[in-house]
C-alpha cells in the first residue's frame, strides 16, 4: 500500500513537473507568438526595405551604368548617325518619347532596361555640348537625372561597350527611344554607313 502511495505521489510530482514544463513551454510559445506578432509587424518594414534594394539590384545587374555617376559629363561623338550625345565613358545616351519636358516616365522594369543617367554631382558640358541645355531633374525616387533640352537621358542595357547604339529606334515601354544630337533633338535618320550603328 505504501509502495502504491509512493508511486502515485511520484506520478503526481511528475505530472506537476510536466505541467510546469508545459507552462514554461507555453510561456515560451507566448513569447514566440509575441515575436511572431513582432514579425507580423515587420513585413511592412521588410517590404519597404526590399523594394528599393530589389530595384537597385535589378538595375545594377542590368548594367553597371545603373549606378549614379560621380564625375558625370555629357560629350559628343561623331558616328554612323552623325553627332550624338554620350556620357563620360563614351556610352550612348537616349531620350524616351513618352517623357514630358523635365519629367521621366520610365521607372521599374523600364528603368532596369534603360538605366536613367543619374548623378551625384553637377554634370559637365563637354566639347560641342550646349551648357544652357544641360541640367538635372529630380526623379520620383529622389535621385537626380541628367536632362538635355528638357529631355531626361538614359543608357541602354543592351549596349555592352562604348560605341554601341543598340537601343536606337526601339519601341519599348510604350514609346520609342532615340539617341540625341548636340542641338537636343532626337536622331531619327538612318545610319550613314553600315558599321552597325556605332562610332
Amino acid at each position: 500500500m505504501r509502495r502504491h502511495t509512493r508511486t502515485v505521489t511520484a506520478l503526481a510530482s511528475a505530472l506537476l513537473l510536466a505541467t510546469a514544463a508545459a507552462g514554461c513551454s507555453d510561456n515560451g510559445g507566448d513569447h514566440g507568438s509575441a515575436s511572431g506578432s513582432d514579425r507580423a509587424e515587420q513585413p511592412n518594414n521588410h517590404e519597404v526595405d526590399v523594394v528599393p534594394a530589389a530595384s537597385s539590384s535589378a538595375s545594377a545587374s542590368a548594367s553597371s551604368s545603373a549606378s549614379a555617376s560621380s564625375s558625370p559629363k555629357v560629350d559628343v561623338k561623331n558616328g554612323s548617325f552623325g553627332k550624338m550625345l554620350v556620357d563620360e565613358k563614351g556610352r550612348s545616351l537616349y531620350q524616351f518619347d513618352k517623357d514630358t519636358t523635365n519629367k521621366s516616365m520610365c521607372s521599374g522594369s523600364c528603368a532596369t532596361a534603360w538605366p536613367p543617367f543619374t548623378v551625384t554631382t553637377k554634370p559637365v558640358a563637354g566639347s560641342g555640348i550646349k551648357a544652357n541645355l544641360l541640367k538635372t531633374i529630380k526623379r520620383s525616387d529622389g535621385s537626380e537625372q541628367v536632362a538635355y533640352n528638357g529631355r531626361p537621358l538614359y543608357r541602354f542595357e543592351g549596349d555592352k561597350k562604348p560605341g554601341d547604339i543598340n537601343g536606337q529606334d526601339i519601341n519599348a515601354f510604350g514609346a520609342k527611344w532615340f539617341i540625341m544630337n548636340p542641338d537636343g533633338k532626337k536622331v531619327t535618320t538612318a545610319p550613314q554607313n553600315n558599321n552597325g550603328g556605332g562610332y
Side-chain angles (χ1 to χ4, degrees), residues 124-192:
V124 174
S127 178
I129 292 295
K130 299 179 179 180
N132 62 316
L133 297 183
L134 186 63
K135 61 181 289 186
T136 61
I137 61 165
K138 192 170 287 293
R139 292 181 56 77
S140 57
D141 63 3
S143 62
E144 295 288 332
Q145 181 175 2
V146 179
Y148 194 71
N149 196 27
R151 307 299 295 188
L153 298 177
Y154 306 83
R155 302 176 182 110
F156 178 47
E157 183 271 339
D159 289 347
K160 302 304 181 184
K161 64 184 185 304
D164 283 353
I165 315 176
N166 298 317
Q168 174 67 357
D169 200 15
I170 285 180
N171 193 338
F173 300 99
K176 284 197 169 188
W177 299 80
F178 295 98
I179 54 173
M180 294 184 73
N181 66 27
D183 292 326
K185 306 294 183 184
K186 63 184 180 183
V187 177
T188 58
T189 56
Q192 299 164 6

Side-chain angles (χ1 to χ4, degrees), residues 38-197:
D38 287 346
R39 283 194 298 270
E41 292 172 6
Q42 288 175 1
N44 289 336
N45 296 335
H46 189 57
E47 278 183 31
V48 170
D49 291 340
V50 164
V51 172
S55 173
S56 170
S57 172
S59 295
S61 65
S63 170
S64 60
S65 62
S67 57
S69 297
S70 56
S71 302
K73 183 179 181 181
V74 177
D75 221 330
V76 176
K77 286 289 185 183
N78 197 16
S80 58
F81 287 93
K83 292 183 177 180
M84 55 176 282
L85 303 189
V86 297
D87 69 5
E88 70 279 359
K89 293 184 178 178
R91 293 169 296 190
S92 304
L93 295 173
Y94 300 84
Q95 66 100 60
F96 184 31
D97 275 356
K98 194 174 180 180
D99 288 346
T100 56
T101 303
N102 298 325
K103 184 172 177 60
S104 170
M105 302 299 287
C106 177
S107 61
S109 57
C110 174
T112 299
W114 301 85
F117 184 11
T118 55
V119 296
T120 55
T121 60
K122 186 177 179 181
V124 174
S127 178
I129 292 295
K130 299 179 179 180
N132 62 316
L133 297 183
L134 186 63
K135 61 181 289 186
T136 61
I137 61 165
K138 192 170 287 293
R139 292 181 56 77
S140 57
D141 63 3
S143 62
E144 295 288 332
Q145 181 175 2
V146 179
Y148 194 71
N149 196 27
R151 307 299 295 188
L153 298 177
Y154 306 83
R155 302 176 182 110
F156 178 47
E157 183 271 339
D159 289 347
K160 302 304 181 184
K161 64 184 185 304
D164 283 353
I165 315 176
N166 298 317
Q168 174 67 357
D169 200 15
I170 285 180
N171 193 338
F173 300 99
K176 284 197 169 188
W177 299 80
F178 295 98
I179 54 173
M180 294 184 73
N181 66 27
D183 292 326
K185 306 294 183 184
K186 63 184 180 183
V187 177
T188 58
T189 56
Q192 299 164 6
N193 56 49
N194 295 318
N195 69 351

